[in-house]
Amino acid sequence: MSRLADHVRNKRIVICCGAGGVGKTTTSAALAVAAAQDGRRVLVLTIDPSKRLAEALGVTANTPDPIRVSPEREAEAGIRGGALSAWMLDPKQVSDATVARLVRDPARARELLDNPIYQQVTEMIAGMQEYTAMEALHGFVERDEYDLVILDTPPARNALNFLDAPRRLGEFLDGRIFQMLLPDRDGGGRLGGTTRRMASKVLGGVFGDEFYADLQVFFAAFSSIFAQLNGNAQKMRERLQQDDAIFLLVTSPVRTALDDALYFEDRIRELELPLGGLILNRSRHDVEDKPFPGPELLPAHATEVHKAALRNLRRLAERERQHEQEHQQLLSTLIEHAPADIEVLTVPEVPGGIDDLEGLGGLARWLLDDANAHLGAAAT
Amino acid sequence: MSLVPILDRRVVLVSGKGGVGRTTASAALARAAARAGKRVLVTEIEEPAAQTQSSLARMFGREVLPTRPVLLAPGIHGCVLSTEHGTEQFLGDVFRVQTLARMALRNAALRRLLHAGPSFHEMGVFYHLLHLIRMTSPDGRPRFDFIVLDMPATGHTLALTGLPDILLRLVRRGPIASALREGQGWLNDRRTGTAIIVTIPEPLPVTESLELVAGLRSTRMDVGAIFVNRIPVDPFDDAQRAALAELLPDGPLYGKEELERLERARLSIERLREHARVPLVFVPQFDADGVGATEAMAEHLSEELRR
């Protein structure tokens, strides 16, 4: 059994990372289908699926809870016994639910939810999308309704933005920032009058006094909540270091794939997070034996037109073969450089993309097939 | 082409899903503009993880781009748009007396707030862009009269183009509000600003491009063109097509996948023609890569954009 098959069968959290456009969402969904085929209760959390993939999974934006794929449709994906649910992550919704949970007094919760700054804040705070993904993951893992939660991380140019975001948010949530913004109740507090006066002058000048006043109200109402959110982010980070969680890097056959993978591996080890494997998506490396078009295709009384058509067909065939060779080369290089405990998996290019459960089911079987998994060859 | 030629705008945002050749297209557009005599600046948004190599820089044979414009090629400068740089610039412009700005920036907590706070990240980038638009040469003309911005993932594009409207709802007066209005003036006026969407002739990228056209319009951004990249060359004429049907066996064969790709490309282009209502610029598949590809594409764009 490949290690990935083992992860899908036994882990509780799988996090798919990767730059934008590599097919991360499809891969996450396929892994979810694979686990459900194996009889597990699976939830896939996704941020921004293409419309057709969302339709295939049966999810729409703004639903309060995950949506279970209907048994008839599960059968299309080869799922019998397991259960597949999907949820489209909505930062605003996660954030509202968190406020409602943490603020016991309903009147105070209302006040926060109605604050004009709060209403924009989920879209505005750097890293908020990544943070709410963490928060949602935290919630679902705690609740224990699912055997496995798969997180499709927010799209970014860099696969590691997701790992950096909670740290960035943590900096923002730094207590001293609040001190500076909170209304002056006790004649300066820890910060001292000079700093506070300067901050007030700078921020008033930058934002205009009106907005600065709104901002102070917002922060006064929010300071305790932020502290708690920060704690959750930290807890989740530690939770992800446990060995029932796994990170996967999804990459596509581009020239920078090797550099990207090595960099990712370095960083993830530095953060002491478990790397579960590299998935090379849309690979066209030779997967089936097929003949090359030759003169045997010509009919008995071939005309010049037939021959010209064959010449052009051979040109296309040559291009196709060249693509396969390039991808084969890239795969070999990845295997050669990946450490011996890391698995490199390939996913074939599916012409036109995958947009239904049947397609995801096929992709799932492919992902778990031993023949498509290669252990790295580099010494660790 | 559209009523206002692309090369006559001041700011062009190049957007598109990863892997469609967006960065190559940005670099090629910059080269095409430079050939047309424009003083070009090509930019991208700085990534928080500083170690990230820049593929845009690589198109000009460099590893990374600095925060201040440097000469990359004849007529083309390049730099990153940096939150931090934009914020410093902004504070400097707001507090003409530099002491307060400098004092503010020395305060660690304040620096962090400005770095990570509500929309400050986008705001910094936005202000940096505005600053570059405003720059003038000693003769009083704009320092750069054609600014290409290679945008990251499409969600970020809409975050930037939608920023002024969102923030202006909260901040109505003061220096941020006036900077936002000024920037909005450049971006949303189709005589000066436009967006180009790069895509490839495949079903999913085309679907996403059509969604992006709608998204950009909802932030009042003009879409100047869709670049349809990597159009596979169909080598068959009609007679050969008919003959081909007689040649192809039922089983697998090298070349069949490429034939299917030709068909998907044809259908994708048809869909774009029917639904996008935006000028389409077709870019063939080039064999070269890196610098070679941008040069080949620039050559092609120079022709296309002149029409």
Side-chain angles (χ1 to χ4, degrees):
Chain A
M1 186 165 60
S2 72
R3 291 184 183 207
L4 185 68
D6 188 46
H7 294 327
V8 162
R9 192 164 291 176
N10 296 307
K11 298 290 176 190
R12 293 215 50 212
I13 303 171
V14 171
I15 298 187
C16 294
C17 300
V22 297
K24 199 170 36 179
T25 305
T26 309
T27 309
S28 306
L31 287 170
V33 169
Q37 283 174 346
D38 211 38
R40 304 187 83 193
R41 296 168 304 163
V42 191
L43 170 66
V44 57
L45 291 177
T46 171
I47 307 275
D48 189 20
S50 73
K51 229 186 217 154
R52 292 202 291 171
L53 186 63
E55 279 165 14
L57 290 169
V59 289
T60 48
N62 301 317
T63 58
D65 295 299
I67 294 185
R68 164 89 192 264
V69 174
S70 72
E72 301 82 60
R73 310 202 49 228
E74 282 180 345
E76 279 172 41
I79 299 169
R80 285 166 200 83
L84 175 64
S85 303
W87 197 49
M88 212 192 278
L89 195 72
D90 176 351
K92 176 116 180 74
Q93 196 162 15
V94 174
S95 168
D96 287 1
T98 312
V99 167
R101 196 173 72 242
L102 296 181
V103 184
R104 300 265 151 71
D105 175 5
R108 254 198 80 210
R110 196 69 259 158
E111 191 192 358
L112 287 185
L113 296 174
D114 289 343
N115 181 294
I117 295 180
Y118 170 77
Q119 289 179 352
Q120 307 290 344
V121 94
T122 47
E123 295 173 35
M124 287 163 52
I125 289 185
M128 199 63 183
Q129 208 180 32
E130 287 85 352
Y131 175 75
T132 47
M134 275 292 213
E135 179 70 22
L137 184 62
H138 179 71
F140 286 118
V141 171
E142 294 272 287
R143 268 197 266 159
D144 217 22
E145 280 169 47
Y146 302 97
D147 303 320
L148 171 67
V149 182
I150 296 180
L151 176 67
D152 164 32
T153 58
R157 190 187 297 169
N158 182 331
L160 280 152
N161 271 4
F162 175 72
L163 298 177
D164 266 345
R167 185 188 52 77
R168 273 186 290 150
L169 192 72
E171 284 185 355
F172 172 57
L173 301 178
D174 179 310
R176 280 180 306 164
I177 292 178
F178 294 112
Q179 287 267 322
M180 199 163 58
L181 282 163
L182 292 179
D184 193 354
R185 289 207 189 93
D186 51 5
R190 282 191 297 154
L191 271 176
T194 321
T195 310
R196 194 188 290 272
R197 269 195 300 281
M198 183 209 63
S200 150
K201 196 163 173 195
V202 169
L203 294 172
V206 169
F207 294 121
D209 290 330
E210 186 188 13
F211 180 63
Y212 179 44
D214 281 350
L215 204 60
Q216 281 185 312
V217 172
F218 167 73
F219 276 105
F222 246 65
S223 50
S224 61
I225 293 200
F226 271 143
Q228 198 144 357
L229 291 180
N230 205 12
N232 281 358
Q234 186 54 38
K235 244 189 269 169
M236 202 55 217
R237 181 77 168 267
E238 282 159 19
R239 178 70 187 74
L240 293 177
Q241 291 176 337
Q242 290 179 19
D243 57 10
D244 63 354
I246 209 84
F247 283 75
L248 295 171
L249 176 69
V250 185
T251 176
S252 61
V254 290
R255 258 167 298 275
T256 55
L258 177 67
D259 288 348
D260 294 350
L262 292 177
Y263 176 61
F264 185 81
E265 190 208 325
D266 268 4
R267 281 299 315 279
I268 210 156
R269 283 189 201 275
E270 206 176 287
L271 295 163
E272 295 177 23
L273 295 166
L275 177 58
L278 305 175
I279 297 180
L280 179 62
N281 197 16
R282 298 198 196 113
S283 177
R284 287 175 67 171
H285 70 280
D286 190 9
V287 289
E288 65 176 338
D289 252 342
K290 49 187 178 183
F292 200 85
E296 69 283 356
L297 294 179
L298 289 173
H301 305 286
T303 61
E304 279 311 308
V305 179
H306 282 111
K307 288 178 190 160
L310 179 63
R311 272 197 303 279
N312 282 330
L313 179 63
R314 283 173 64 88
R315 221 168 282 157
L316 293 188
E318 193 46 60
R319 197 191 299 160
E320 191 173 314
R321 191 158 65 181
Q322 194 185 332
H323 264 295
E324 286 182 3
Q325 282 164 354
E326 283 166 12
H327 288 192
Q328 180 64 50
Q329 184 89 42
L330 179 65
L331 176 62
S332 309
T333 316
L334 275 175
I335 293 170
E336 187 188 324
H337 287 85
D341 57 342
I342 295 298
E343 206 169 46
V344 181
L345 300 122
T346 60
V347 177
E349 183 180 44
V350 180
I354 286 183
D355 56 7
D356 59 16
L357 282 170
E358 201 188 334
L360 286 176
L363 196 57
R365 278 186 288 274
W366 177 281
L367 270 168
L368 300 192
D369 188 341
D370 260 353
N372 305 315
H374 318 268
L375 274 183
T380 28
Chain B
M1 292 303 303
S2 58
L3 297 175
V4 187
I6 301 279
L7 294 181
D8 287 354
R9 320 283 177 116
R10 284 286 302 280
V11 192
V12 180
L13 310 183
V14 183
S15 190
K17 188 180 162 63
V20 298
R22 184 197 63 235
T23 300
T24 308
S26 302
L29 184 62
R31 286 185 191 271
R35 282 179 196 204
K38 298 282 173 184
R39 290 175 305 257
V40 180
L41 178 70
V42 59
T43 63
E44 66 182 345
I45 296 171
E46 186 180 52
E47 286 281 312
Q51 304 91 326
T52 323
Q53 291 169 320
S54 155
S55 41
L56 183 61
R58 235 177 280 151
M59 299 287 168
F60 295 94
R62 285 176 169 254
E63 283 295 298
V64 287
L65 295 176
T67 42
R68 288 171 202 281
V70 286
L71 193 67
L72 297 176
I76 305 175
H77 282 73
C79 69
V80 287
L81 297 181
S82 137
T83 298
E84 200 141 338
H85 190 81
T87 308
E88 280 175 33
Q89 198 69 49
F90 177 70
L91 290 177
D93 289 350
V94 171
F95 304 106
R96 301 260 170 223
V97 196
Q98 292 290 320
T99 7
L100 194 58
R102 247 180 270 134
M103 233 168 86
L105 283 169
R106 268 205 301 271
N107 181 297
L110 192 57
R111 275 182 79 109
R112 281 190 206 163
L113 174 72
L114 293 171
H115 192 66
S119 274
F120 295 158
H121 182 76
E122 276 85 6
M123 186 60 210
V125 165
F126 193 86
Y127 198 81
H128 193 174
L129 177 62
L130 182 58
H131 171 73
L132 292 164
I133 297 173
R134 283 172 178 168
M135 280 173 84
T136 50
S137 297
D139 61 6
R141 295 187 308 159
R143 175 80 185 80
F144 302 109
D145 50 18
F146 192 74
I147 300 181
V148 181
L149 175 49
D150 177 20
M151 300 296 294
T154 53
H156 291 82
T157 303
L158 297 176
L160 191 76
T161 57
L163 179 76
D165 276 342
I166 290 181
L167 272 186
L168 282 169
R169 254 177 265 149
L170 297 172
V171 193
R172 293 191 186 82
R173 273 181 288 279
I176 288 191
S178 26
L180 286 167
R181 288 201 183 91
E182 187 187 341
Q184 205 169 30
W186 289 108
L187 287 179
N188 289 359
D189 184 339
R190 53 176 311 175
R191 285 168 301 182
T192 51
T194 194
I196 285 175
I197 298 173
V198 184
T199 191
I200 52 175
E202 289 281 344
L204 295 181
V206 163
T207 301
E208 291 188 19
S209 302
L210 292 174
E211 285 167 16
L212 185 56
V213 171
L216 284 165
R217 286 190 175 145
S218 74
T219 61
R220 290 187 285 145
M221 204 55 216
D222 171 58
V223 180
I226 295 180
F227 286 3
V228 191
N229 196 14
R230 291 191 212 130
I231 298 203
V233 183
D234 186 345
F236 304 101
D237 62 26
D238 288 346
Q240 289 177 12
R241 274 273 170 194
L244 190 64
E246 293 172 49
L247 298 186
L248 288 175
D250 285 335
L253 181 78
Y254 270 107
K256 274 195 171 179
E257 261 182 48
E258 290 291 316
L259 280 171
E260 281 170 26
R261 194 158 81 96
L262 286 175
E263 181 60 12
R264 288 199 305 278
R266 195 182 60 76
L267 292 172
S268 300
I269 290 168
E270 236 169 56
R271 254 179 87 212
L272 280 171
R273 280 222 167 91
E274 197 173 326
H275 299 289
R277 289 154 199 235
V278 165
L280 302 179
V281 176
F282 298 111
V283 185
Q285 172 104 47
F286 295 110
D287 280 336
D289 52 60
V291 177
T294 56
E295 272 162 7
M297 202 193 283
E299 179 94 30
H300 181 81
L301 287 179
S302 296
E303 290 290 314
E304 287 290 315
L305 297 179
R306 207 176 296 138
R307 282 191 207 160

